[in-house]
Amino acid sequence: MPNKADVKAWKAQLVAQAEQQILKLTDSDRFKQYLNTLAKFHHYSTRNIDLIYAQNPQATQVAGFKQWQTAFNRTVNRGAKAIRIAAPIIKKLTPAEQKRLDTTDERAIVGYRYLPVFDVAQTSGEPVLSSKDFVKENLADHQNVTSLYNAFKDYLNQQTDLKVSEVPLATLNGAKGYFQPSTNEIVIGGDEPDNALKLKTLYHEYAHSQLHGLKSAFKDRPRAYQETQAEAVAYVAMQNIGVDTSNYSLGYVATWAKDKAVIHSALSEIQQVSNKVIELSDGLTKQLGLQEAQEGPEHDLKMLAAQSLNKSYQSLQQQVQQARNPQQKSELQNKLNDVHHEISNRTQKQLKAFSEQNPAIKQPEHNAAKTLKR
């Protein structure tokens, strides 16, 4: 079995690979195009964000009538109902007004007017890149992730000061879950149909609780740091059990932390929490009697019991069938071949031992098969 140094190196390798893949994504021309798209949209105040959500909770990208035409080559659909946002009315102050307002500013906001904007769904024309183009939610299901999710949730509720509960996805405003530091509570969308995504979300919110809770060392990190760290931990934890969430996780991280310096700094702080999550998952996996957790390259198949070896073979077969990434599929196929080879060797040894213990039983002659041919 791998020694402690091997296991430590494996965990560090998972984190390093996560960073490399995220940075690779941010270097792509498509992602740079996405950043250019974001730059064209105005950054709205909290007040206007609330106004937009109150009028259209499904809105994702909004702009004015003319801006859709000039900046995005799109037109607002006929009959579309505008979303109203507040725009300040700024007036140049007279000396008397400056004195009355006790300010030296030459201009001041004297009121607000409400301007019409439209969501991208209310327009037609050239495609507009959004975060959804990089965050794909159709993760392949994986054997036993539901059992591990339930075990991890029960562990957190029973063995820690965290409280994990579930609510309908419809109440989460598009999120999959959240962590509330003031109550130390994790809330998960209980009706999420993708079991792998549900487990990954629990890992994500648990990482927030450890990294960004009220007493945590990194609680004051900017939002981009926090989301990068939490999703990277979730990605590493899922990789450790053999589930590749890169289609979701890497895009999620990159759309939050668009600056390479932010990504590097954020990921440099996650090693400790990643190790803790992996150890918890490995322990729960063994308690549940599930398939062997993903291990490092030094994993010794000869040390596995026959039942565990067979389970590992069945699990790898399923993963090969579900894999969509050619490189990942090839790696899984190589592991499957190794397990198949070990099972074959054991079978041959068992047959040989049985033959030696029972000399009266003769092996079939090689030419016997020829008599069956027609």
Side-chain angles (χ1 to χ4, degrees):
M1 295 293 287
N3 57 36
K4 289 184 177 179
D6 291 332
V7 173
K8 184 177 180 181
W10 167 244
K11 294 172 182 176
Q13 180 185 348
L14 286 176
V15 176
Q17 288 175 345
E19 179 172 7
Q20 290 169 9
Q21 293 209 46
I22 294 164
L23 292 176
K24 183 179 178 181
L25 174 64
T26 60
D27 276 335
S28 70
D29 290 338
R30 186 170 173 79
F31 194 77
K32 290 173 182 175
Q33 185 182 349
Y34 165 69
L35 296 184
N36 290 335
T37 299
L38 287 184
K40 295 178 182 178
F41 287 100
H42 293 299
H43 296 285
Y44 293 107
S45 65
T46 302
R47 177 182 181 181
N48 276 332
I49 291 173
D50 290 341
L51 280 172
I52 292 169
Y53 179 76
Q55 297 169 77
N56 185 351
Q58 281 73 47
T60 57
Q61 296 172 307
V62 298
F65 189 94
K66 289 185 178 180
Q67 189 184 6
W68 277 121
Q69 292 178 327
T70 57
F72 302 100
N73 289 324
R74 294 178 70 86
T75 56
V76 175
N77 298 334
R78 185 183 297 275
K81 184 179 179 181
I83 301 168
R84 297 284 174 171
I85 60 170
I89 300 172
I90 300 175
K91 177 186 176 183
K92 185 175 181 180
L93 300 177
T94 64
E97 288 172 329
Q98 286 178 315
K99 184 176 180 180
R100 178 171 57 83
L101 297 172
D102 192 22
T103 181
T104 57
D105 294 338
E106 294 184 355
R107 296 175 177 273
I109 297 174
V110 295
Y112 290 88
R113 56 190 174 127
Y114 290 89
L115 300 179
V117 293
F118 300 87
D119 181 53
V120 63
Q122 298 174 295
T123 66
S124 304
E126 292 187 4
V128 178
L129 280 178
S130 72
S131 62
K132 290 182 179 179
D133 291 296
F134 299 91
V135 181
K136 301 175 182 177
E137 298 183 6
N138 56 331
L139 300 181
D141 200 355
H142 188 272
Q143 186 180 11
N144 297 321
V145 292
T146 302
S147 298
L148 186 53
Y149 167 82
N150 289 329
F152 190 38
K153 178 164 69 76
D154 291 344
Y155 169 83
L156 295 179
N157 277 324
Q158 297 167 12
Q159 305 294 327
T160 74
D161 58 354
L162 284 163
K163 179 184 177 183
V164 183
S165 60
E166 296 183 354
V167 299
L169 281 169
T171 66
L172 294 177
N173 300 329
K176 302 295 181 184
Y178 65 85
F179 167 64
Q180 180 58 257
S182 61
T183 58
N184 212 30
E185 181 182 11
I186 291 173
V187 176
I188 303 292
D191 53 345
E192 168 58 53
D194 189 323
N195 293 327
L197 186 53
K198 193 173 179 182
L199 176 60
K200 185 215 66 67
T201 301
L202 182 56
Y203 282 142
H204 178 107
E205 302 309 335
Y206 174 72
H208 272 313
S209 75
Q210 301 303 293
L211 287 164
H212 313 124
L214 293 179
K215 298 180 181 179
S216 302
F218 309 129
K219 63 182 175 62
D220 295 324
R221 291 288 188 267
R223 183 72 185 276
Y225 268 65
Q226 294 187 2
E227 294 303 324
T228 297
Q229 290 173 326
E231 190 63 21
V233 169
Y235 171 72
V236 168
M238 294 297 283
Q239 284 282 92
N240 181 62
I241 63 170
V243 183
D244 183 11
T245 66
S246 57
N247 276 347
Y248 184 98
S249 296
L250 301 186
Y252 183 99
V253 170
T255 51
W256 269 105
K258 305 167 189 70
D259 187 326
K260 288 187 178 182
V262 171
I263 293 172
H264 181 75
S265 299
L267 292 183
S268 68
E269 298 172 346
I270 72 167
Q271 186 74 56
Q272 186 176 351
V273 174
S274 295
N275 290 347
K276 185 176 181 180
V277 174
I278 288 173
E279 288 168 7
L280 281 172
S281 294
D282 285 352
L284 292 170
T285 298
K286 291 174 182 177
Q287 288 178 24
L288 292 166
L290 304 180
Q291 73 269 19
E292 293 294 316
Q294 187 83 356
E295 297 189 27
E298 300 300 321
H299 179 53
D300 189 357
L301 295 174
K302 292 181 172 58
M303 299 297 293
L304 285 180
Q307 185 178 7
S308 296
L309 192 66
N310 288 332
K311 284 185 176 180
S312 179
Y313 184 79
Q314 293 169 3
S315 174
L316 283 167
Q317 273 188 317
Q318 184 178 17
Q319 291 178 57
V320 169
Q321 292 173 357
Q322 295 174 342
R324 296 293 177 265
N325 182 290
Q327 182 178 353
Q328 182 201 15
K329 195 178 188 74
S330 176
E331 291 173 355
L332 289 169
Q333 185 62 57
N334 289 337
K335 292 179 182 179
L336 180 64
N337 292 340
D338 290 342
V339 175
H340 182 271
H341 184 68
E342 177 62 23
I343 291 175
S344 178
N345 285 344
R346 291 190 190 188
T347 303
Q348 292 299 323
K349 288 179 181 177
Q350 290 169 353
L351 286 172
K352 184 178 180 181
F354 180 79
S355 164
E356 291 173 351
Q357 293 170 9
N358 300 273
I361 300 177
K362 295 183 178 181
Q363 298 254 358
E365 295 182 5
H366 292 293
N367 292 332
K370 294 181 180 180
T371 63
L372 298 177
K373 292 182 179 179
R374 295 179 184 269

